[in-house]
Amino acid sequence: MAEDKYNLKNPAVKRILQEVKEMQSNPSDDFMSLPLEENIFEWQFAIGGPRDTEFEGGIYHGRIQLPAEYPFKPPSFMLLTPNGRFETQTKICLSISNHHPEHWQPSWSVRTALVALIAFMPTNPNGALGSLDYTKEERRTLAIKSRQAAPRFGTSERQKLIDEIHDYMLSKTPPVPQLSPSVGSEEHATDGEIEAQAGQQDTGAVATGQRISNAVIGENIAQGERIIEEVQEAPVNENLSPAVVRVPREIPSRGLSETVTRIKKPADDRLFTWAAVGLTMAIIVLLLKKFMKASGHGAVFMDES
């Protein structure tokens, strides 16, 4: 890079050249980025898809445009490789981009921004400008395609730099992992399997309803509580037709309350009888005393006492 073409006293130029040296002396396996020879304010980059996501193994190229006031103003970012998360050749809206200058800090660098971009890949787009919301399968397919060739963009100088960065990332980025059979079966469950699971749940519910015994019902009758009446509308066949089920339903035990009352009635009659006998005896004693007093026997009895 011909440094004599730029004013080395310019704060932006000085900072950019410093970051270029740092990027070359301390390369990363997760990303690579370098400026154009003819314009150090334009950088080409490539990032590897974050691990344990649908982007893993993919190589995603893009373009960074640094402002003349860098690092005091944020750069803009644009993806060139189809990825299913961000639109291509469109400036994307991130907290580290020029769409949100209020969040940018001069201490951040191109390296910091690329690390943040990788972290943004698997997040929910929430309708942000330049964002896409493809399915995981579509994104995984794009990750595989991204390794086949670098995107075509711009002049021959740009394309040469893009190809060099792509070769570097191919040597550092593992291939897209294959889906395990268990994961594939979970993501592509058929309607038949879902219906079978629902049928098993219905079978369990019917069996539970059939386990209600007459003994439990009899106990509820003795307590005068509500009981569970098992209403069988039709027999349940082996195919578990949705229209043929046993429906448990609660009904008030109005007629049963009379039965309970009749069972307890003899005991109530015995108490009433003893009370009536006691009252009768008390009345007889009072009448006897009154009769004796009226005949004079009561006076003799009182004098003797």
Side-chain angles (χ1 to χ4, degrees):
M1 181 177 296
E3 298 182 359
D4 54 352
K5 295 168 54 176
Y6 304 98
N7 181 9
L8 300 181
K9 295 182 180 181
N10 183 290
V13 172
K14 186 176 180 179
R15 172 65 177 269
I16 291 172
L17 293 177
Q18 180 183 351
E19 291 192 27
V20 171
K21 291 180 180 179
E22 195 274 334
M23 187 74 70
Q24 292 175 334
S25 62
N26 186 24
S28 171
D29 293 347
D30 297 325
F31 58 84
M32 172 54 68
S33 183
L34 291 171
L36 298 179
E37 184 76 20
E38 61 184 17
N39 181 11
I40 62 173
F41 288 88
E42 180 181 340
W43 290 52
Q44 296 294 324
F45 73 87
I47 59 175
R51 295 177 180 84
D52 300 324
T53 70
E54 61 271 26
F55 303 100
E56 183 176 2
I59 300 175
Y60 306 100
H61 289 263
R63 174 177 177 265
I64 300 175
Q65 186 67 45
L66 302 176
E69 298 83 2
Y70 184 80
F72 302 103
K73 289 187 177 181
S76 62
F77 297 86
M78 182 174 66
L79 270 294
L80 303 177
T81 305
N83 53 86
R85 174 61 176 85
F86 298 105
E87 295 181 7
T88 58
Q89 301 190 24
T90 300
K91 292 182 179 180
I92 58 179
C93 178
L94 298 173
S95 59
I96 57 173
S97 70
N98 62 342
H99 285 280
H100 295 281
E102 68 277 8
H103 297 310
W104 176 260
Q105 298 182 20
S107 60
W108 293 351
S109 62
V110 171
R111 178 183 290 269
T112 305
L114 292 177
V115 172
L117 180 58
I118 294 173
F120 275 118
M121 290 289 285
T123 60
N124 192 330
N126 291 326
L129 182 65
S131 296
L132 299 173
D133 193 11
Y134 284 23
T135 64
K136 290 185 177 182
E137 291 77 10
E138 292 172 329
R139 290 174 174 178
R140 191 175 291 111
T141 300
L142 292 174
I144 296 174
K145 291 182 179 180
S146 69
R147 302 178 62 91
Q148 298 173 0
R152 314 303 298 178
F153 179 76
T155 63
S156 58
E157 181 189 1
R158 289 190 180 92
Q159 193 60 51
K160 181 181 178 180
L161 182 57
I162 292 173
D163 292 338
E164 291 176 357
I165 294 176
H166 191 79
D167 292 338
Y168 172 83
M169 291 302 297
L170 278 176
S171 65
K172 300 296 183 180
T173 308
V176 177
Q178 298 294 325
L179 289 177
S180 62
S182 60
V183 174
S185 60
E186 290 177 0
E187 293 184 355
H188 300 283
T190 62
D191 294 339
E193 293 173 344
I194 296 175
E195 292 177 358
Q197 293 176 359
Q200 293 176 358
Q201 295 177 355
D202 292 341
T203 304
V206 173
T208 302
Q210 292 175 343
R211 285 196 296 267
I212 300 175
S213 63
N214 294 331
V216 175
I217 296 176
E219 181 180 353
N220 291 332
I221 292 174
Q223 296 175 355
E225 299 175 351
R226 292 188 304 171
I227 65 171
I228 302 297
E229 181 188 34
E230 192 179 47
V231 180
Q232 182 177 0
E233 297 181 355
V236 180
N237 57 21
E238 296 180 356
N239 295 326
L240 297 176
S241 173
V244 183
V245 293
R246 288 194 172 197
V247 182
R249 138 183 107 168
E250 293 185 349
I251 60 172
S253 56
R254 295 177 181 174
L256 298 173
S257 298
E258 298 177 358
T259 304
V260 175
T261 303
R262 286 195 297 269
I263 294 174
K264 294 183 179 181
K265 197 169 183 180
D268 296 338
D269 292 343
R270 287 194 296 270
L271 292 176
F272 179 79
T273 301
W274 285 110
V277 170
L279 181 59
T280 303
M281 293 179 64
I283 293 173
I284 293 173
V285 170
L286 290 175
L287 293 175
L288 183 60
K289 286 183 177 182
K290 187 175 182 179
F291 175 78
M292 292 176 64
K293 184 177 181 180
S295 61
H297 296 286
V300 176
F301 179 77
M302 293 298 295
D303 292 339
E304 291 178 353
S305 62

